[in-house]
Amino acid sequence: MGQRVVVVGNGMAGARLAAELHARGQDKVTVVGAEPHRAYNRIMLSTLLAGKIGEQEVELTEATGRGVDLRTGVAVRAIDRAAGEVRTDDGDRIGYDHLVLATGARAVVPALPGLDPTSPPERVVAFRSLADCRRILTLAEGARRALVLGGGLLGLEAARGLAARGLEVAVVHRVPYLMERQLDAVAGEILAGTLAELGVTTHLAVTPTGLTADPTGVRLSLSDGRTLDADLLVLACGVRPDTALAEAAGLTVDRGVLVDDRLRTSDPRVSAIGDCAQHGAAPTGLVAPAWAQARVVAQLLTGQDPQARYRPRPVVTRLKAAGIDLAAMGDPTNGPGEELTFADPTRGTYARLRIHDDRLAAAILLGDNPSVGAVIQLFDRGHPVPADRRALLLGRAVGGGGGATPAASPALMPDAATVCQCNTVSKGAVVACWRGGARTFDEVVAGTRAGTGCGGCRDAVAGIVDWLSRTDPVEVGR
């Protein structure tokens, strides 16, 4: 294929796009990435922080191959739309017929006395990149106490990871309860109790007012007059889409780079995907939409499907932290429909569902709930909920009323059931990969991409592979 495609950014979105283009025969692709190493799975960094995996397991195994020119450690400094080229910090000019921005997002560094965003103290690290993770791990060696500023998803994953290494960890959060974007106050309180049992203390509804740091440690002053001392401070205060290049080039930018259903910006020769892109009201900041966007752009640029359009899918948030099982989807606190709740704070269990027109509109599931898989399937596929609503809350077998039945065995799971939310991999796709010759978990992962996103489905994929290994593949039924 003749057109030259340049991808700015070698993160999860950019690397996936290069692989999607290569798989469709696009032979003139240049990927420019500012980070000096190969692409990696950013959302698995908290697992790396916890010491559960090594750096090799964080690296993405996306194939590139002939026709893909990968340039790492090189930053794009400017876009010349009139000339159809990008200019890099090493003085190079790279021409394009179509440009794709996959510049991601940058960590938010809060305005705080004693904290210079351009040059933070040695023992203060914003948790975003592999380099950040390496630095945190270096600081954690020999440390006893750590502070995490931010009680959202990333902050709690960082806190749990450090606690797993034996550090005393305290989380400081401005809001009265944790993960306020995904949870309600009751779930947040129960989650705080679970974290306390795992060695993570939470300080809620307090604002940091100042920071003192030296080479030996940090001290954080709080709005209630207290001070907290630690050996290091991790900043997990959210991210902001990196739109600097797009803005300088005159593209239309809101919170992110505005794109349409074809992922085109205000310049039809420029697309944007991933954390930097804004389709609709706000950027998503999640891996599954980024990879779906990469697929659509690849289909359009290669002509494989000129009618391809990006359609956002319902998002399921999972907290990836050992000892915590949490799934949240939709907004259970707002909207029409019936509401069901169950709480057992002593056991760290909470469930809240919102059902509208016999469909699951939103849910929070915290703690041990055997029906979590069925709930996610109902939400993702929009199937009718069972007549016995209590089964979804309490984890009993779900049946009747046209609802889905959670499979006690993979043999009972329908082929259409989504195993990997990030990559939209069904149980049928896993079975097909096995029948195609894959015989190990790693081979199935490589063949389907299941488990290469957030990693939350890896146990489910392993269970299916184990079941297949004990079953005549010819006899596997639907």
Side-chain angles (χ1 to χ4, degrees):
M1 297 184 185
Q3 70 171 333
R4 300 165 300 168
V5 179
V6 173
V7 182
V8 181
N10 189 40
M12 298 183 74
R16 174 59 65 92
L17 175 59
E20 295 277 4
L21 289 169
H22 176 67
R24 289 167 174 80
Q26 177 68 39
D27 58 3
K28 294 181 180 178
V29 180
T30 301
V31 181
V32 185
E35 293 185 84
H37 29 253
R38 63 179 297 170
Y40 57 90
N41 188 331
R42 194 180 303 278
I43 56 178
M44 293 296 286
L45 291 180
S46 54
T47 310
L48 176 62
L49 195 62
K52 303 298 183 183
I53 58 176
E55 281 198 13
Q56 279 192 324
E57 294 165 275
V58 175
E59 292 181 348
L60 292 176
T61 56
E62 302 290 1
T64 51
R66 185 182 304 172
V68 178
D69 178 13
L70 174 60
R71 307 186 188 186
T72 58
V74 178
V76 171
R77 294 304 183 197
I79 301 168
D80 187 336
R81 289 164 52 200
E85 65 182 23
V86 297
R87 300 170 185 171
T88 66
D89 59 358
D90 60 3
D92 199 6
R93 296 179 177 229
I94 307 171
Y96 66 83
D97 297 306
H98 197 89
L99 176 67
V100 183
L101 300 178
T103 50
R106 296 184 180 275
V108 172
V109 178
L112 187 63
L115 178 58
D116 180 357
T118 62
S119 180
E122 178 184 346
R123 291 185 170 270
V124 178
V125 187
F127 186 33
R128 175 65 180 170
S129 67
L130 178 57
D132 296 333
C133 190
R134 289 171 174 169
R135 189 168 161 212
I136 292 170
L137 289 173
T138 298
L139 292 172
E141 292 179 5
R144 291 191 307 108
R145 294 173 296 177
L147 290 172
V148 176
L149 186 54
L153 186 66
L154 185 62
L156 297 188
E157 290 179 354
R160 182 65 187 105
L162 289 169
R165 289 184 172 271
L167 277 72
E168 298 175 20
V169 183
V171 174
V172 176
H173 196 45
R174 300 170 184 263
V175 183
Y177 61 95
L178 299 169
M179 289 183 63
E180 70 279 0
R181 293 186 179 181
Q182 294 87 14
L183 305 183
D184 58 21
V186 177
E189 182 178 353
I190 293 175
L191 177 58
T194 300
L195 285 165
E197 294 177 358
L198 296 171
V200 178
T201 304
T202 52
H203 303 275
L204 305 173
V206 289
T207 303
T209 57
L211 173 69
T212 304
D214 60 35
T216 63
V218 297
R219 170 170 291 181
L220 192 65
S221 301
L222 304 180
S223 55
D224 59 5
R226 292 180 298 148
T227 58
L228 300 175
D229 295 317
D231 300 301
L232 69 149
L233 170 64
V234 176
L235 304 177
C237 304
V239 297
R240 185 175 292 115
D242 191 344
T243 61
L245 267 179
E247 288 184 83
L251 299 174
T252 304
V253 172
D254 183 25
R255 292 171 61 186
V257 184
L258 291 179
V259 294
D260 59 17
D261 290 350
R262 293 161 59 90
L263 287 314
R264 301 290 172 93
T265 67
S266 52
D267 181 341
R269 295 178 64 199
V270 182
S271 300
I273 62 174
D275 289 355
C276 72
Q278 180 177 335
H279 178 274
T284 65
L286 299 169
V287 63
W291 284 352
Q293 291 168 0
R295 183 169 57 253
V296 169
V297 170
Q299 290 171 329
L300 290 170
L301 291 182
T302 60
Q304 182 194 54
D305 183 4
Q307 302 307 313
R309 299 294 184 270
Y310 172 63
R311 300 285 184 256
R313 291 173 55 85
V315 173
V316 178
T317 299
R318 301 296 297 265
L319 178 59
K320 301 171 294 301
I324 303 173
D325 193 355
L326 170 63
M329 57 213 82
D331 183 358
T333 63
N334 292 299
E338 60 181 301
E339 186 177 304
L340 299 88
T341 60
F342 171 79
D344 185 353
T346 302
R347 297 190 178 188
T349 303
Y350 179 74
R352 180 173 180 173
L353 312 178
R354 181 165 59 81
I355 298 169
H356 180 56
D357 288 340
D358 260 352
R359 301 295 194 275
L360 185 65
I364 299 171
L365 295 173
L366 175 61
D368 184 17
N369 190 319
S371 68
V372 63
V375 170
I376 291 175
Q377 290 294 324
L378 288 170
F379 177 76
D380 185 59
R381 304 186 69 83
H383 286 170
V385 298
D388 182 6
R389 314 290 209 239
R390 295 171 300 173
L392 292 176
L393 282 177
L394 304 177
R396 296 198 298 269
V398 182
T405 302
S409 161
L412 304 178
M413 183 188 297
D415 270 8
T418 303
V419 178
C420 174
Q421 298 287 329
C422 293
N423 287 290
T424 320
V425 180
S426 67
K427 177 241 184 171
V430 175
V431 173
C433 183
W434 176 272
R435 287 178 167 172
R439 285 297 177 268
T440 67
F441 172 79
D442 288 342
E443 289 174 354
V444 168
V445 167
T448 65
R449 288 177 169 154
T452 62
C454 72
C457 67
R458 292 176 74 87
D459 287 346
V461 176
I464 296 174
V465 171
D466 179 64
W467 163 66
L468 288 168
S469 70
R470 292 180 283 103
T471 308
D472 182 352
V474 177
E475 298 297 324
V476 173
R478 295 182 183 275

